[in-house]
Amino acid sequence: SLDQALTRNRAQVDSAIDRLYADGMTDIAAGLIEAETALQSSRPRTGNVPVIVVLSDGYHNGATDLFATAERI
């Protein structure tokens, strides 16, 4: 799920990161797909480069092929 919509507000981003917690079951590919969707649905400012930052507690253990997803994006 998307924990924080795209924003220019650093305090909101910091707060969203602070709310994260590690509990296993990391589906990194699903996170990449969610990030891609968020980037495609926004209108970037002129000159901005779309970037995806991955934060993980470890091993990808989702059903979706992580490397195929990353290559596609």
Side-chain angles (χ1 to χ4, degrees):
S1 67
L2 184 63
D3 294 311
Q4 173 60 55
L6 296 174
T7 181
R8 295 181 191 132
N9 185 319
R10 178 159 179 175
Q12 288 179 343
V13 173
D14 288 342
S15 179
I17 290 171
D18 288 342
R19 289 190 305 270
L20 297 175
Y21 59 92
D23 69 350
M25 300 310 298
T26 304
D27 190 344
I28 298 171
L32 288 174
I33 293 166
E34 187 77 29
E36 177 187 32
T37 300
L39 289 174
Q40 290 175 343
S41 68
S42 69
R43 292 189 313 250
R45 294 169 70 183
T46 302
N48 283 6
V49 177
V51 174
I52 297 172
V53 177
V54 176
L55 303 175
S56 172
D57 62 350
Y59 184 73
H60 168 70
N61 48 7
T64 307
D65 184 332
L66 170 60
F67 297 106
T69 301
E71 285 289 326
R72 182 183 58 74
I73 293 172

